Amino acid sequence: MREKEFLPLIKDRLNIQSLNEMQEKMMRLSAEAKDIILLSPTGSGKTLAFILPMLKMLKAPTGRVQSVIIAPSRELVMQIAGIIREIARGFKTTALYGGHKVEDEVNTLSIVPDIIVATPGRLLDHINRRNVDVLPVRILVLDEFDKSLELGFEDEMRKILNRMKNVSHTILTSATDLAVLPEFIKLDAPARLDFLEKNKDLRRRLGVHRVDSDGKDKLATLRMLLNTLHTKEEGVRSIIFVNHRESAERVAQYLDRNGYKCALYHGGLDQHDREKAVKLFNNGSRPVLVATDLAARGLDIEKITNIVHYHQPLTAENYTHRNGRTARINNEGDVYILMGPDEEVKEYVDFDDEFHVDSKAETPSASDMETLRFGAGKKEKLSRGDILGFLVKTGGLEAGDIGKIDVFDHYSLVAVRSDKAAEVAERVSKEKIKGKRQKIELL
């Protein structure tokens, strides 16, 4: 695929006006080296940095799989596939991951994709069922390979790579420099790009604030902190990180009882609920996300104002990845760490100052947006344009009243202005869209 075909789409579809230094170097290096190792932290534009060389290497569709990208989590798979679909015109991209219907994936594989983005377990399952043939694959990308090993995928990765006999280009990415690569990864004099040191300026773009709590529980202090932060201006969004699923549930329930609309994200939730939580947070109808470290990597989460560590992270790596959710791509951000009485500061945490909460600040009365749920999606041939036109024509909204529209396989989520949400939900609940009556409700 030629650069003149996909570079304009980066501006139009992704609203990225220019490539950063790392992305430019990856583009140039892909013409010189067969194999590349890219070391770069979260939030630096790494995903686009490996997608661009992959697109350059693609040939015209042949009815065979040309490229496979393996990532350790379903969220990361969906994010990568979403970016590729926006800019890889004329090429079919299929995402394979656990947590949704295998039948839907089998149907998408009936027409052989050019690009597969997958988690290791689900890809191996399809290979073993002979739903996909990876023998013709020429381009292999292993994204966050260090995480794949940590999650215990090494045996699956070995089996997958042993089936790929014709790979001529391999790209490895990691946020951690691996001293030794597993023997089943065959690289031919790989070029190495190390942006870990250069991106240490992330710390200079972060304000790290200590917030002391009188009690060990810290919930009351958390509420007052959010009241202080979220009454400053509109559009403030905060992620609260905790160390355990049970803590995430407890914190979210407490905040919900005290007037905060929260999204909840942890590994014990099914894929549908996790998917919905991210979209509600991104579209502004849930301005607070309570999450475990599962949300510290791989999620497509935009413009985070604040990171709040309800618990100090257990490792320096987790601390870095949590903080990397804000101050992305040269932006600035703030990090708040709640400290209980007699709690010791981890050796990898350093504060810029102490932050004092405003105990008199009130809980914001409402979020800027609310979300409508449509009981139909891509598989029912419903598109973003269909929904937008329906809400303007039938719902009486103006285009500016409508925010993000996310269309999934069998349902859709639409952000609308809070002051108009209830009225429009009532107005469209019994109307037909594309000739069919679908369940439409206000979440």
Side-chain angles (χ1 to χ4, degrees):
M1 189 176 183
R2 290 175 294 183
E3 293 178 42
K4 67 179 183 180
E5 296 177 274
F6 60 79
L7 286 180
L9 295 176
I10 293 173
K11 294 182 179 180
D12 295 340
R13 301 285 184 86
L14 303 180
N15 196 30
I16 295 174
Q17 300 306 309
S18 62
L19 303 182
N20 64 28
E21 180 189 358
M22 177 178 63
Q23 294 159 351
E24 293 275 12
K25 282 191 174 182
M26 283 290 287
M27 289 277 281
R28 292 196 297 269
L29 195 57
S30 64
E32 304 168 7
K34 289 184 176 181
D35 301 328
I36 303 172
I37 298 174
L38 172 62
L39 301 174
S40 183
T42 185
S44 59
K46 174 167 58 70
T47 301
L48 196 58
F50 69 72
I51 287 176
L52 297 180
M54 182 206 72
L55 293 180
K56 279 183 63 177
M57 298 173 195
L58 287 179
K59 298 178 180 179
T62 60
R64 296 182 175 184
V65 181
Q66 296 191 54
S67 176
V68 167
I69 301 173
I70 299 176
S73 71
R74 62 188 74 173
E75 290 80 11
L76 192 51
V77 165
M78 290 187 289
Q79 177 188 337
I80 295 168
I83 294 173
I84 294 173
R85 288 180 181 128
E86 291 289 346
I87 57 178
R89 280 184 175 172
F91 294 89
K92 182 184 179 185
T93 302
T94 294
L96 307 175
Y97 54 89
H100 68 160
K101 294 180 180 178
V102 175
E103 294 80 5
D104 286 345
E105 292 185 348
V106 172
N107 289 337
T108 64
L109 291 168
S110 61
I111 300 175
V112 179
D114 304 285
I115 305 164
I116 289 176
V117 189
T119 53
R122 183 55 69 94
L123 177 59
L124 183 60
D125 184 48
H126 281 294
I127 292 172
N128 290 336
R129 293 170 184 257
R130 299 188 177 182
N131 295 330
V132 61
D133 179 13
V134 295
L135 185 60
V137 172
R138 297 184 300 106
I139 308 160
L140 173 65
V141 179
L142 305 182
D143 188 26
E144 298 204 9
F145 185 75
D146 59 314
K147 196 67 176 177
S148 295
L149 289 179
E150 179 184 316
L151 294 174
F153 294 139
E154 186 169 359
D155 187 53
E156 293 171 340
M157 299 281 276
R158 178 184 289 105
K159 291 176 180 177
I160 292 169
L161 268 58
N162 284 342
R163 303 286 188 96
M164 297 184 181
K165 305 295 186 182
N166 294 299
V167 171
S168 55
H169 298 278
T170 301
I171 299 175
L172 266 59
T173 80
S174 177
T176 305
D177 192 0
L178 298 178
V180 180
L181 292 172
E183 45 79 23
F184 58 84
I185 297 180
K186 312 296 184 184
L187 299 181
D188 181 12
R192 181 183 171 94
L193 273 184
D194 188 344
F195 278 81
L196 294 177
E197 188 68 32
K198 181 165 288 191
N199 278 280
K200 283 186 177 178
D201 71 341
L202 169 65
R203 177 63 183 89
R204 292 190 290 273
R205 293 184 278 112
L206 284 176
V208 181
H209 315 287
R210 175 173 179 145
V211 182
D212 286 313
S213 172
D214 293 335
K216 291 183 179 180
D217 195 326
K218 300 190 281 193
L219 284 173
T221 304
L222 173 63
R223 176 176 56 81
M224 288 187 287
L225 172 63
L226 291 178
N227 288 351
T228 305
L229 299 177
H230 282 250
T231 53
K232 287 182 177 180
E233 56 188 79
E234 291 186 356
V236 174
R237 296 193 300 146
S238 302
I239 301 180
I240 302 167
F241 279 107
V242 300
N243 288 343
H244 309 288
R245 296 176 184 177
E246 296 78 8
S247 300
E249 298 275 356
R250 189 170 67 90
V251 170
Q253 289 169 6
Y254 172 84
L255 292 175
D256 184 65
R257 289 195 305 268
N258 284 274
Y260 271 95
K261 290 190 173 182
C262 297
L264 177 65
Y265 191 94
H266 62 68
L269 300 172
D270 64 30
Q271 174 60 23
H272 175 273
D273 288 335
R274 285 157 60 179
E275 195 175 67
K276 184 171 70 173
V278 172
K279 296 305 180 184
L280 293 178
F281 183 59
N282 262 345
N283 73 19
S285 59
R286 300 292 185 272
V288 175
L289 177 69
V290 182
T292 59
D293 284 316
L294 186 64
R297 291 197 195 201
L299 292 186
D300 184 16
I301 299 178
E302 308 162 3
K303 297 178 182 177
I304 307 306
T305 319
N306 309 304
I307 298 299
V308 179
H309 299 272
Y310 182 80
H311 295 135
Q312 291 186 84
L314 298 176
T315 67
E317 184 181 12
N318 285 345
Y319 181 62
T320 298
H321 284 292
R322 285 183 182 187
N323 293 346
R325 297 283 73 188
T326 189
R328 296 171 74 84
I329 315 295
N330 298 322
N331 292 318
E332 295 183 348
D334 286 291
V335 173
Y336 300 87
I337 303 175
L338 298 182
M339 300 296 297
D342 304 320
E343 184 177 351
E344 294 186 3
V345 179
K346 301 287 188 181
E347 65 273 10
Y348 40 81
V349 173
D350 60 308
F351 298 108
D352 295 323
D353 55 43
E354 291 186 17
F355 184 85
H356 300 283
V357 300
D358 181 358
S359 60
K360 297 181 180 179
E362 298 182 356
T363 302
S365 57
S367 52
D368 302 327
M369 309 295 282
E370 295 290 348
T371 295
L372 290 175
R373 185 186 189 279
F374 285 66
K378 295 174 186 175
K379 301 299 182 182
E380 291 76 31
K381 309 298 183 184
L382 195 63
S383 70
R384 290 186 179 93
D386 295 329
I387 294 171
L388 178 62
F390 173 74
L391 289 176
V392 170
K393 183 178 179 180
T394 307
L397 294 176
E398 297 180 4
D401 298 328
I402 302 168
K404 284 184 174 292
I405 301 176
D406 295 295
V407 181
F408 302 92
D409 284 348
H410 297 290
Y411 73 100
S412 304
L413 300 176
V414 188
V416 298
R417 275 179 45 183
S418 296
D419 58 346
K420 297 189 176 184
E423 179 185 350
V424 73
E426 176 67 24
R427 185 178 298 166
V428 302
S429 61
K430 297 180 181 179
E431 299 293 336
K432 293 181 179 180
I433 179 169
K434 294 190 74 173
K436 293 184 179 180
R437 183 171 285 114
Q438 306 288 355
K439 185 177 182 181
I440 304 172
E441 58 186 342
L442 186 64
L443 289 182

